[in-house]
Amino acid sequence: MERRETSPLREDWDRMLCVVAHPDDMEFGAAAAVARWTGQGKDVVYCMVTSGEAGIDGLPPEDCRAVREAEQVESARLVGVEQVEFLGLPDGVLEYGVPLRRAIAAVVRRHQPEIVVTGNFRDTWGGRNLNQADHVATGRAVVDAVRDAGNRWVFPEQVAEGLQPWGGVREVWAFGSPAAEHAVDTTETFDAGVASLEAHRAYIDGLGWEDWDAREFLEGMARPAGQSLGVTFAAPFEVFLMGWGD
């Protein structure tokens, strides 16, 4: 099969908000890209919809919550992200709908990003392996919440409380999507991305992945994406335009 070439992502922006379902989601596909952007002096904020408290079978949720939040904060620090928010919604049972859109719209209004990043919310990863329900619900809600955030008559109680409408998001980028047609060169920041994923040690150990190699795993995605972009390593993204008529 002929490899499809990808287009470089735009980098004419200053503020990015990343909204994903769980701690570790960013690190499984986008952390090296974030390290590139923070290295350029861009402002990047992380928002975790849950705290991943249902992610370690041998650890009760309340204990797991504290562990995974701490791992995420350290993981973010390794790629230059200083602000990590946790919305505290229940892990494993997220539902797409108005409450989730409302929670994410408030975050968008508060941070006023130009670019919003989320994870793949297609049904699969491009093969037979089904995506996880929280990922699908969160990604779908992110796209809609970005539009909600710009309309003062949607969730008007937020406006009354001082969160002004924000319609300045240009694009939503979904990393890891099988429909990705854009990518960003992560050759110089790939090692930071690996370290960021390895910082989720308790989670990885909790999955029982004794012989799992974070670098090998990430290279398996980054090398093909890099080849399609003409570089060594790259992170692929599906781009959703937020303007009207685009």
Side-chain angles (χ1 to χ4, degrees), residues 60-231:
E62 284 311 307
D63 295 336
C64 185
R65 179 189 305 275
V67 170
R68 299 206 65 195
E69 287 186 359
E71 287 190 337
Q72 182 59 68
V73 170
E74 173 60 12
S75 177
R77 185 192 66 80
L78 292 172
V79 293
V81 176
E82 298 179 356
Q83 188 170 359
V84 182
E85 294 188 7
F86 299 92
L87 297 186
L89 275 65
D91 182 23
V93 291
L94 291 178
E95 293 182 299
Y96 170 81
V98 171
L100 185 54
R101 285 167 49 193
R102 179 184 290 111
I104 297 172
V107 179
V108 173
R109 286 171 168 170
R110 183 163 60 253
H111 292 288
Q112 300 186 348
E114 298 160 80
I115 302 294
V116 173
V117 165
T118 192
N120 171 38
F121 55 97
R122 300 287 183 176
D123 289 340
T124 73
W125 299 98
R128 294 183 177 182
N129 290 334
L130 291 173
N131 201 348
Q132 199 264 355
D134 283 358
H135 299 158
V136 176
T138 297
R140 287 185 58 202
V142 165
V143 173
D144 290 337
V146 163
R147 292 196 176 114
D148 296 335
N151 187 336
R152 70 173 56 252
W153 307 120
V154 177
F155 312 132
E157 71 282 0
Q158 295 177 357
V159 179
E161 294 169 355
L163 288 177
Q164 294 305 306
W166 177 250
V169 177
R170 301 188 225 170
E171 298 173 351
V172 173
W173 299 347
F175 63 83
S177 169
E181 294 185 346
H182 291 74
V184 62
D185 184 358
T186 58
T187 306
E188 297 299 320
T189 55
F190 183 76
D191 287 348
V194 173
S196 188
L197 178 54
E198 289 176 338
H200 292 276
R201 190 73 262 163
Y203 177 64
I204 293 169
D205 289 346
L207 294 175
W209 295 354
E210 296 180 3
D211 299 321
W212 186 78
D213 187 305
R215 179 176 297 274
E216 181 180 12
F217 175 84
L218 291 175
E219 282 191 7
M221 297 185 295
R223 284 194 183 278
Q227 291 174 3
S228 70
L229 195 63
V231 299

